[in-house]
Amino acid sequence: MKRDSFGSRLGALMALIGSAVGLGNLWKFPYMAGSNGGAAFILIYIAFLFMLCLPLMISEFIIGRRSQSNPVGAFRKLAPGTKWYFTGVLGVIGAFVILSFYSVVGGWAVKYFITSLQFGFTSATGAEAEFNSFVSSPVLPVVMHIIFLGATVAVLWTGVKDGIEKYSKILMPLLFLLVLVLAIYALNLPNARMGIDFMIKPDWSKVNSSVILNALGQGLFSLSLGMGIAITYSSYMNKTENLFRIAIVTLVMDLIFALLAGFMILPAVFAFGFEPTQGPGLLFIVLPEVFASMPGGGIFAIMFFIILLVAALTSAISLLEVIVSYLIEEKKLSRHRALVYSGIALVITGSLCSLSQGILSDFKIFGNNIFDFFDKLSSTYIMPIGAFFIAIFVGWKMKRKHVNEELDNNGLLKIRLFNLFWFLVRYFVPLAIVVIFLNMLGIF
Ligand code: PHE
C-alpha cells in the first residue's frame, strides 16, 4: 500500500503543532499549575520539556521516519521478532484512554460554544454553580461528548483532515492573538498581581513527589508524547526534513500557548476570588466571569470557544488516528470499519467518564472517579512508561550510526549537539523517569 506523505514542510509541522496544542495547553495546564503550587511546578515543567520531552520527541521522529510505519509496525520493522512492538500497543491503549476523557472535555467546549452564541455569559457570579450543574447532569454532557467525538470521526471518515490542517494554519495564529488579548485583559484586573506572583514566584516548599510526576505527565501530555503520535506523523515526513528543528519549533509553540493560557486564567482566578486548586473545571468556571466583565466579551467568547474547539479537534484527530491506523495496518480492518468500532467503544468509555462527574461519582477506582482515573492512568503511567521504552529503544537498541543518520539526514545537515542528545536519550531520560516513579512510590 502506498502511504501518504506530507506535501510540504509546513504540512508536517502544522499537523504536529495541531496535535500538541489543544486542551492540554488551554484547559489542563492552568489547572495543573493551579493545583500543583504554581511557579515551582511551571519551572519544573519547563525543565522537563527541554531535557526530557525534546529528546523524546526527536526519538519518536527517528523511529517513525526510519520505519515509515504506524507505531506498532515501526517496532516490528526496526526490531523484527522481538516484543518491542508492545511499546506501540501501549500507545494505542493510551490514545484510547486519553480520547475517552478528552472528548468529554471537548463536549464541554461544545456546550460553552453554544452558550457563547446566545451571549450567555452575563451573570457576574454563578459560573461555578452553572458549570457544576452542567457537568454533573446525566444527559447533556454525554450528548455534547458524542457530538465532539462524532466530529472527530467525521473528519477522519471523509478525509478532510488535510483541509482542517490548512485551516489551522490560519486559526493557530488567531488563537494566539486571542489568548494574548485575554491574558493582557486578565493581567490588568484588580488583584491580578496575586495571580502573577503565583505564576512567577516559586514556593519550593510545595514541591513533592507527586508535583514532579505531574509535571512530567503534563509535559508528555501537552506534547502528545509517549504514545506514537510523533512516530505516526514523522513516518509521513520526507527524508530531507530537519527533525531537530521541527521538534524545537513544536515544543516552543506549545510552551508559549501553555504559558499564555496560564496568564489568561490564573490572574483572573485571583481577581474573581476563586481557588487555583479547583481542578478540571477551572477554565470553564473562570472564563465566563472574564467574558461577562469584559467590554465586547460576548464576541471574544464566541471567537475563543470556536478556536478552542478547532484546537481540541486537531488533537483528538491525532489520537484517533493512532487507534485507527493500528486497526487498519495491523488488524486489516477497512478505514470505515475501524472508525465505527473505535467510535462505538469511545462513546461507551467517554459516557462513563462524563457520568462520573455526576451520577457515577461514587464509583471509585483506586480512590478516583472514572474521569480522573483515566486522566491519571494515561498521564502518569501509560505515557511515562511508553516514553521510557522509546528512549531505551533509540538509545540502546538502535545503532548509534542509524540514529545519527536520521538526525543529520545522511550527512546532509550539520548536527552539533548529537553527543548531548545521545547522552540524554541513553542515560538521563530513562533514569529520570525511573527515579520519578520510585520517588512517587516512596522508595527514597
Ligand atoms: N497534546 C494534546 C493537547 O495538548 C493532547 C494529546 C495528548 C494529544 C496525547 C495526543 C496525544 O491537548
Side-chain angles (χ1 to χ4, degrees):
M1 184 175 21
K2 190 186 165 304
R3 304 184 83 243
D4 298 337
S5 77
F6 281 104
S8 67
R9 164 173 310 151
L10 211 54
L13 189 59
M14 283 321 291
L16 272 162
I17 294 176
S19 170
V21 175
L23 296 170
N25 310 62
L26 293 147
W27 158 73
K28 200 171 184 195
F29 179 79
Y31 87 75
M32 288 298 277
S35 315
N36 287 284
F41 170 87
I42 296 175
L43 289 176
I44 300 172
Y45 173 77
I46 295 177
F48 281 166
L49 281 192
F50 285 92
M51 292 171 67
L52 261 139
C53 297
L54 186 60
L56 274 167
M57 194 188 304
I58 296 173
S59 299
E60 288 199 29
F61 286 172
I62 290 170
I63 296 173
R65 195 174 59 172
R66 196 160 184 89
S67 65
Q68 308 265 304
S69 16
N70 72 77
V72 176
F75 288 103
R76 285 226 171 93
K77 219 179 219 175
L78 298 180
T82 66
K83 295 266 177 281
W84 274 102
Y85 70 90
F86 270 119
T87 311
V89 175
L90 187 72
V92 177
I93 298 170
F96 184 80
V97 171
I98 293 180
L99 200 47
S100 301
F101 70 86
Y102 203 86
S103 51
V104 171
V105 184
W108 298 351
V110 174
K111 155 77 169 55
Y112 273 67
F113 171 59
I114 295 172
T115 307
S116 75
L117 287 178
Q118 303 158 330
F119 289 94
F121 302 121
T122 45
S123 79
T125 51
E128 184 170 359
E130 251 165 56
F131 174 78
N132 289 334
S133 93
F134 161 62
V135 292
S136 61
S137 63
V139 181
L140 193 57
V142 174
V143 173
M144 294 294 158
H145 137 255
I146 294 174
I147 293 177
F148 182 82
L149 200 57
T152 312
V153 170
V155 168
L156 290 183
W157 186 282
T158 54
V160 296
K161 187 177 146 282
D162 299 346
I164 299 276
E165 264 139 28
K166 273 191 205 104
Y167 280 119
S168 60
K169 246 181 254 182
I170 312 161
L171 288 175
M172 286 292 154
L174 207 59
L175 180 63
F176 173 81
L177 280 181
L178 256 179
V179 180
L180 185 69
V181 172
L182 292 172
I184 292 173
Y185 176 74
L187 288 170
N188 286 300
L189 288 168
N191 292 330
R193 186 76 238 172
M194 280 159 73
I196 302 172
D197 285 349
F198 183 78
M199 277 192 71
I200 60 175
K201 294 213 175 117
D203 175 357
W204 296 105
S205 70
K206 293 207 181 118
V207 175
N208 58 32
S209 56
S210 79
V211 169
I212 297 176
L213 182 62
N214 283 338
L216 171 68
Q218 175 63 18
L220 299 172
F221 183 86
S222 193
L223 286 173
S224 314
L225 292 176
M227 50 208 355
I229 305 254
I231 295 182
T232 308
Y233 281 159
S234 59
S235 74
Y236 300 120
M237 283 178 201
N238 60 46
K239 296 279 181 192
T240 54
E241 215 80 74
N242 183 340
L243 298 182
F244 181 74
R245 192 164 60 200
I246 294 185
I248 276 278
V249 173
T250 308
L251 182 145
V252 170
M253 293 279 287
D254 193 74
L255 175 60
I256 291 175
F257 271 103
L259 290 177
L260 265 186
F263 280 112
M264 165 179 82
I265 299 294
L266 287 164
V269 167
F270 288 90
F272 292 109
F274 293 113
E275 288 299 322
T277 50
Q278 281 277 349
L282 198 66
L283 173 89
F284 294 96
I285 291 172
V286 174
L287 276 187
E289 303 281 354
V290 172
F291 294 131
S293 74
M294 188 177 182
I299 301 291
F300 277 103
I302 296 174
M303 294 199 291
F304 178 81
F305 283 111
I306 185 85
I307 306 182
L308 176 69
L309 272 175
V310 176
L313 199 60
T314 51
S315 302
I317 292 168
S318 72
L319 284 162
L320 188 54
E321 201 161 54
V322 172
I323 304 170
V324 167
S325 69
Y326 166 76
L327 292 176
I328 296 172
E329 289 181 27
E330 303 296 318
K331 297 286 169 215
K332 307 291 174 233
L333 289 187
S334 75
R335 187 165 189 83
H336 288 173
R337 232 167 240 248
L339 280 165
V340 169
Y341 291 162
S342 44
I344 292 174
L346 285 161
V347 165
I348 297 170
T349 49
S351 299
L352 290 175
C353 286
S354 179
L355 295 173
S356 75
Q357 304 292 310
I359 51 176
L360 292 184
S361 62
D362 288 334
F363 181 79
K364 297 262 156 74
I365 310 171
F366 301 116
N368 297 292
N369 67 35
I370 306 171
F371 184 108
D372 294 342
F373 175 71
F374 275 32
D375 183 359
K376 292 216 173 102
L377 178 67
S378 49
S379 286
T380 51
Y381 292 93
I382 298 180
M383 301 180 97
I385 293 171
F388 173 83
F389 284 114
I390 285 167
I392 296 286
F393 186 82
V394 170
W396 296 90
K397 174 83 190 157
M398 286 183 73
K399 294 208 170 61
R400 182 187 164 113
K401 181 168 155 282
H402 292 162
V403 173
N404 203 345
E405 267 168 24
E406 281 307 320
L407 274 180
D408 73 3
N409 295 347
N410 286 321
L412 281 177
L413 301 169
K414 234 182 130 37
I415 296 293
R416 261 173 264 121
L417 297 174
F418 185 79
N419 286 332
L420 176 61
F421 167 77
W422 193 237
F423 167 78
L424 290 174
V425 198
R426 269 170 84 88
Y427 302 101
F428 180 77
V429 174
L431 266 176
I433 293 175
V434 170
V435 168
I436 292 168
F437 261 101
L438 295 181
N439 191 23
M440 194 217 23
L441 298 174
I443 310 280
F444 296 123

